[in-house]
Amino acid sequence: MNAPASMAVLSTPRSRPLVATGTVERLLLRHVDHVSPESRLCAGVIKQAFVDLRSSSSGTRRDARRFFRDGRLNAWCDVLGLNPDFVREIALKTGYLPLNSKEEPHA
């Protein structure tokens, strides 16, 4: 028995990102003027947002998508001296952040 088309879309597995999160973290640190424990911590926070975008929990994924839009990413990027649009572009081009990520309503 074939599932309805709407069910097939819901059960389709997400594609794997093009690079691992460790690679993303190294890329971020490569663009930091001075690598220090503090800059590694900030890059780690951003890396965790990438990890959360791939979580099995829809709530965690939703919060991670919001992180990339609501100003929190901007704050961490400011500490590192990175352009947040650069980080968003990495997330999009590597397959972590979906192109059509819409803000989901609050519960």
Side-chain angles (χ1 to χ4, degrees):
M1 178 171 171
N2 292 333
S6 60
M7 289 297 291
V9 171
L10 293 176
S11 63
T12 304
R14 293 175 304 218
S15 59
R16 286 186 65 192
L18 298 175
V19 297
T21 54
T23 304
V24 171
E25 183 177 30
R26 285 190 299 278
L27 176 66
L28 296 175
L29 288 171
R30 186 176 302 149
H31 288 86
V32 172
D33 288 334
H34 175 71
V35 177
S36 65
E38 293 81 7
S39 63
R40 288 184 189 279
L41 174 65
C42 294
V45 169
I46 296 170
K47 173 189 171 184
Q48 186 61 47
F50 276 78
V51 170
D52 290 350
L53 285 168
R54 305 299 301 169
S55 173
S56 61
S57 164
S58 62
T60 301
R61 288 192 311 272
R62 183 176 48 246
D63 189 49
R65 287 190 303 269
R66 286 182 184 149
F67 175 88
F68 279 89
R69 285 191 306 268
D70 67 7
R72 290 180 284 166
L73 174 66
N74 297 17
W76 289 102
C77 286
D78 284 348
V79 172
L80 288 172
L82 296 175
N83 183 333
D85 291 330
F86 169 70
V87 177
R88 282 186 201 95
E89 185 175 351
I90 293 169
L92 286 167
K93 288 187 175 182
T94 56
Y96 282 95
L97 189 62
L99 286 172
N100 60 350
S101 64
K102 298 178 200 169
E103 185 72 63
E104 297 176 19
H106 292 281

